[in-house]
Amino acid sequence: MHSLPNDSHVIDLESWPRKQHFAFFKEFSLPYFNVCVSLDMAALYEQCKSAPYSFFHSYIFLTLEACHDYAPMRQRIIDSCPIQLSTVRASVVELADDDTLRFSYFEKHDSIQRFSEHALQVAKESKGQPFFSEAFAATEGQPDLIHISVLPWLNFTGFSHAVSEGHGLGIPKLVFGQYDKRTGKIPLSIDVHHALMDGLHVARFVQILQEKINDYCN
């Protein structure tokens, strides 16, 4: 048995509208589905030109906020049971000096200033460690993560992930692509577990994230 993260609880299947959907989809050999969308980032990109916080840190900060504002993005599967988490962290792929990836683990903070300071320090430490670092051993595979990758070199319209055998914990996977200065758009790939979410839920999350971006710039 896995221990539950702090401030999490098992969802009551008898009162949960997704009881039958959960039972159906959690047995699939490939239970995740993917949606690729475009986010309007023009205002955020322009604002970050004169702000002390990077475009990258700004949209990761807002993504974590959106995940905390939308409960389905904080649902996981632990010991075959649906679990509702209260908080999540970001497992963000970053590039080290040798052009190999590292995982930086970012906590949610109440302000972009505090988040940016935290993210800079975490990234410095993770890039200076080997891939299989102590932070990796202690954190990767924990249920309270959102997996986030950034591909600033590609303006993609489709995406698929490397997968390992097993059903996993239902952790969402987000991939941000290349910002298009001409259109002000950025592609976002979203993978979620079908036992926990449908297309409607992905659409609602995207709407919340876009509203977060718009409100931040106003």
Side-chain angles (χ1 to χ4, degrees), residues 113-161:
Q113 178 181 348
R114 292 185 61 198
F115 177 80
S116 184
E117 292 170 351
H118 161 72
L120 285 169
Q121 182 60 37
V122 169
K124 180 180 179 181
E125 293 172 358
S126 65
K127 291 177 184 180
Q129 298 295 319
F131 180 74
F132 291 124
S133 64
E134 291 184 8
F136 179 94
T139 312
E140 199 59 37
Q142 296 299 309
D144 62 331
L145 298 175
I146 302 287
H147 289 158
I148 301 177
S149 298
V150 178
L151 295 177
W153 319 278
L154 292 174
N155 196 331
F156 56 77
T157 56
F159 199 90
S160 64
H161 287 273

Side-chain angles (χ1 to χ4, degrees), residues 48-188:
C48 289
K49 283 183 177 181
S50 57
Y53 317 113
S54 72
F55 181 52
F56 165 61
H57 283 166
S58 296
Y59 67 71
I60 299 297
F61 167 76
L62 293 167
T63 298
L64 268 177
E65 284 209 333
C67 290
H68 281 85
D69 279 5
Y70 192 53
M73 290 294 285
R74 292 180 281 104
Q75 290 172 354
R76 301 292 184 268
I77 301 171
I78 300 177
D79 295 327
S80 297
C81 296
I83 305 296
Q84 182 65 63
L85 305 179
S86 61
T87 61
V88 290
R89 299 171 287 173
S91 171
V92 180
V93 174
E94 298 201 89
L95 204 63
D97 291 340
D98 61 359
D99 285 347
T100 62
L101 64 86
R102 300 290 188 275
F103 293 128
S104 293
Y105 302 106
F106 297 156
E107 306 276 351
K108 181 183 180 297
H109 286 77
D110 293 334
S111 71
I112 181 60
Q113 178 181 348
R114 292 185 61 198
F115 177 80
S116 184
E117 292 170 351
H118 161 72
L120 285 169
Q121 182 60 37
V122 169
K124 180 180 179 181
E125 293 172 358
S126 65
K127 291 177 184 180
Q129 298 295 319
F131 180 74
F132 291 124
S133 64
E134 291 184 8
F136 179 94
T139 312
E140 199 59 37
Q142 296 299 309
D144 62 331
L145 298 175
I146 302 287
H147 289 158
I148 301 177
S149 298
V150 178
L151 295 177
W153 319 278
L154 292 174
N155 196 331
F156 56 77
T157 56
F159 199 90
S160 64
H161 287 273
V163 296
S164 60
E165 293 184 4
H167 298 292
L169 296 163
I171 294 174
K173 300 178 184 297
L174 309 182
V175 183
F176 291 90
Q178 183 183 61
Y179 176 72
D180 189 330
K181 294 181 181 179
R182 180 179 57 85
T183 64
K185 300 293 182 64
I186 193 170
L188 171 62

